[in-house]
Amino acid sequence: MAKHKAFVKKEKCLACGGCISVCPQDAILMISSKAIVDNELCNSCSICVKTCPIGAIIWEGT
Amino acid sequence: MHYDAVIVGSGPAGSMTARFAAEAGAKVLILERRAEVGVPVLCGEGVSQKVDSFKVLEGKRWIATKMKGARIFSPNGTTVTLAAEYAGDETGYVVYRDIFDQELARGALKKGAEIMLNTRAVDLLKKNGKIKGVTAQHFDETLEIEADVVVGADGVESRVGRWAGIKTTLKPYDLETCVQYTMTNIDWDSPYCDFFLGKHVAPGGYIWVFPKGRDVANVGIGVLASLSEAGKAKQYLDKFIAAQPALKKGESLRIITGADPVAEPIQSVTDNLILVGDAARQVDPITGGGLMHSIEAGRYAGETIGNAVEKQRFDTQTLSEYETRWKNAFGKKLHRNYVVKEIMLDMEDKTLDMLADSLKDYKFEEFSTLSIIKALVTKHPSLLVKLTPLMKLARA
Ligand SMILES: Cc1cc2nc3c(=O)[nH]c(=O)nc-3n(C[C@H](O)[C@H](O)[C@H](O)COP(=O)(O)OP(=O)(O)OC[C@H]3O[C@@H](n4cnc5c(N)ncnc54)[C@H](O)[C@@H]3O)c2cc1C
Ligand code: SF4
Ligand code: SF4
């Protein structure tokens, strides 16, 4: 089964950019004040999930 | 559209760069993806009174409170009090960061800089491998903006540096992940900026209370991302507030998240490109304070751009004037404090308590690393071993 990808819950994200600054794949962008993960680039390393101070990043489909 | 310099980001680093470049006669444009400069505020809003010496802020509207100093609380509550002049770059004024940033931007615009809001830089414009400007998204339009120098003043995310091939990705070990409430209905009338340390308070970071006048304060936390889990920073902060009688009945006017790089600085110059402020990781690795460095480095960047325009040379060598100047001004301090950060991360709560106990009555008149170490070791000789790396630094 394919690994889950990181997913930003838009309604929670407060746009600090922390996840973007630590993503080793450069897979996250800030668009209109919300972080958005590019599924193609995400390698499921979980760094962004652990970094988000308010837990706005979850695993897609979970 | 052709400019001498296009500056990505209208934070303190970008506005200072723009101001001093414009003052030196350069034609500059600031791009800001937000719809309002400085909003939302992503900051504890503490800054040293040294900011006055730059003479870049008019009036007093940006000041919320003037602070007497800082108090540092060790894990067992032992308090070390520092007068403002010894308390680092985050203590002096607590400011309204939105007004602060807007005043800095206004200063740049008055000197002739231009700004475009709602405009997100999306890539570098390159010709034959050479940086020629940026492409940007402005509402529905895609713009190509040509410039001899591109300035990445785009904060902690720093895409501009990455586009130029500079390694800007932070290790979780080098990032404080933050949450802050601006609270009211609190019983906190203090002339001090307070810092609370401890593994159970804020792993690898600290909690701060920065008063913004009677009955309002910024109460925030930074946790080292490598020691954090999803949502942990907020949980630690909520726990702290619930245990403080003076805060627990408070209400919040604002909640923010934040990301503060506590890294070693990176390469800040390449052909036709400069990185300034958080984008260049010019943040104090111990306190996480970055405003003063952004302001100072922005000035050097702007003046360097002015000189480059005069010579019409924009290669690494010409732009290196900027890197040399900021490194001379505070590069050593950043490196030293990065080493101290690593030493502190290794310390047990018990050691922090001993440190605080040794310093609690220390009169910070002779403020040198060596004299402090002497005071420490006299009271708690066992600290000697733990502080050996620090002593080496003090001698270096
Ligand atoms: C929670 C927290 C508390 C802090 N507290 C303090 C403190 O009390 N004292 C202190 O001195 N420092 C503090 N800092 C650090 C301080 O906030 C930063 O050092 C400072 O903001 C850096 O300024 P800057 O101009 O480099 O970046 P920023 O102020 O982050 O500005 C970057 C700007 O670039 C814009 N931008 C980014 N990407 C693009 C793009 N692609 N296109 C267009 N625009 C773009 C952003 O919208 C933003 O306006 C704190 C940081 C955090 C996270
Ligand atoms: S770390 Fe969390 S709050 Fe910050 S930008 Fe990423 S998802 Fe949003
Ligand atoms: S899981 Fe890893 S690769 Fe995927 S977006 Fe998060 S930090 Fe990037």
Side-chain angles (χ1 to χ4, degrees):
Chain A
M1 199 188 82
K3 274 192 184 168
H4 287 301
K5 304 283 180 164
F7 176 78
V8 178
K9 290 181 101 171
K10 269 204 183 128
E11 65 281 12
K12 275 184 100 174
C13 171
L14 292 173
C16 65
C19 53
I20 297 175
S21 69
V22 290
C23 174
Q25 291 292 107
D26 207 1
I28 315 178
L29 272 181
M30 186 76 71
I31 295 177
S32 304
S33 299
K34 299 291 163 187
I36 294 171
V37 177
D38 182 336
N39 266 344
E40 301 279 303
L41 294 173
C42 173
N43 71 0
S44 311
C45 73
S46 87
I47 290 176
C48 62
V49 177
K50 289 186 180 160
T51 297
C52 181
I54 50 171
I57 311 184
I58 56 168
W59 296 111
E60 196 170 41
T62 59
Chain B
M1 269 193 278
H2 185 277
Y3 289 86
D4 293 320
V6 62
I7 296 166
V8 181
S10 69
S15 286
M16 285 294 282
T17 306
R19 178 193 180 107
F20 284 92
E23 196 166 50
K27 185 170 154 61
V28 299
L29 173 67
I30 306 171
L31 304 181
E32 173 54 59
R33 67 183 176 192
R34 297 164 158 186
E36 181 174 0
V37 173
V39 178
V41 170
L42 302 176
C43 187
E45 307 186 290
V47 70
S48 160
Q49 284 172 25
K50 277 184 274 175
V51 73
D52 290 332
S53 67
F54 285 87
K55 298 190 168 46
V56 287
L57 288 152
E58 280 180 25
K60 301 237 177 283
R61 254 181 0 112
W62 50 278
I63 303 173
T65 35
K66 203 167 167 169
M67 308 309 295
K68 249 176 96 171
R71 291 186 303 194
I72 301 164
F73 297 83
S74 80
N76 71 5
T78 308
T79 313
V80 178
T81 306
L82 298 166
E85 57 271 37
Y86 301 128
D89 281 350
E90 277 185 320
T91 304
Y93 298 121
V94 179
V95 303
Y96 298 106
R97 201 34 223 283
D98 41 356
I99 306 178
F100 183 88
D101 280 19
Q102 286 181 14
E103 280 300 302
L104 289 176
R106 210 166 61 83
L109 305 179
K110 268 171 71 176
K111 300 282 177 194
E114 297 169 37
I115 190 167
M116 284 177 79
L117 299 174
N118 242 318
T119 308
R120 183 167 60 95
V122 290
D123 207 348
L124 290 171
L125 199 60
K126 287 189 186 164
K127 272 191 200 120
N128 305 325
K130 211 168 134 79
I131 295 170
K132 287 279 181 196
V134 296
T135 43
Q137 198 70 36
H138 173 69
F139 291 96
D140 290 335
E141 259 180 291
T142 304
L143 305 172
E144 294 201 343
I145 302 162
E146 287 180 23
D148 293 316
V149 186
V150 175
V151 178
D154 51 340
V156 66
E157 290 167 41
S158 188
R159 313 280 307 169
V160 174
R162 286 193 199 187
W163 296 332
I166 298 173
K167 233 191 119 302
T168 62
T169 308
L170 289 165
K171 295 267 178 288
Y173 185 77
D174 286 335
L175 181 79
E176 295 285 341
T177 174
C178 309
V179 179
Q180 175 182 275
Y181 299 107
T182 300
M183 298 186 75
T184 188
N185 280 357
I186 51 175
D187 188 12
W188 200 284
D189 193 9
S190 152
Y192 292 100
C193 283
D194 288 337
F195 300 81
F196 298 83
L197 304 177
K199 280 199 167 51
H200 303 287
V201 178
Y206 60 83
I207 282 178
W208 65 86
V209 181
F210 292 178
K212 287 184 86 173
R214 260 195 68 221
D215 199 36
V216 181
N218 287 335
V219 183
I221 186 171
V223 173
L224 205 66
S226 56
L227 302 173
S228 196
E229 295 288 338
K232 265 274 153 62
K234 181 170 177 295
Q235 288 163 19
Y236 275 105
L237 183 61
D238 290 341
K239 193 175 92 183
F240 173 85
I241 291 170
Q244 293 278 328
L247 297 177
K248 70 177 182 200
K249 294 213 177 71
E251 297 290 333
S252 290
L253 298 167
R254 177 170 81 183
I255 174 174
I256 62 156
T257 55
D260 205 357
V262 284
E264 291 252 42
I266 50 173
Q267 173 192 352
S268 64
V269 166
T270 181
D271 290 343
N272 304 86
L273 184 124
I274 284 180
L275 299 182
V276 198
D278 279 15
R281 315 307 184 208
Q282 288 161 338
V283 176
D284 185 324
I286 300 180
T287 66
L291 288 172
M292 286 307 297
H293 294 154
S294 297
I295 286 171
E296 186 167 0
R299 178 185 178 149
Y300 300 145
E303 289 174 352
T304 300
I305 290 168
N307 291 337
V309 170
E310 205 162 291
K311 290 186 228 155
Q312 282 298 301
R313 291 177 57 98
F314 306 96
D315 53 317
T316 307
Q317 202 193 345
T318 309
L319 299 180
S320 288
E321 173 196 329
Y322 156 68
E323 190 163 279
T324 308
R325 285 183 72 189
W326 76 254
K327 282 200 168 157
N328 283 340
F330 57 81
K332 248 206 188 126
K333 169 178 141 193
L334 290 184
H335 174 67
R336 186 192 62 212
N337 287 3
Y338 188 82
V339 179
V340 175
K341 167 194 132 178
E342 292 191 306
I343 296 171
M344 286 185 66
L345 281 174
D346 277 345
M347 281 183 184
E348 296 298 324
D349 278 1
K350 225 173 52 202
T351 314
L352 287 172
D353 288 330
M354 274 198 278
L355 272 170
D357 184 58
S358 309
L359 292 177
K360 66 178 197 277
D361 303 316
Y362 184 77
K363 296 275 168 289
F364 286 89
E365 273 149 16
E366 191 207 346
F367 194 77
S368 72
T369 316
L370 264 180
S371 71
I372 290 179
I373 291 172
K374 234 186 262 161
L376 292 174
V377 173
T378 323
K379 196 140 180 207
H380 291 286
S382 66
L383 282 173
L384 190 63
V385 185
K386 305 210 159 76
L387 296 176
T388 315
L390 251 188
M391 302 223 262
K392 280 193 195 129
L393 267 179
R395 273 193 227 108

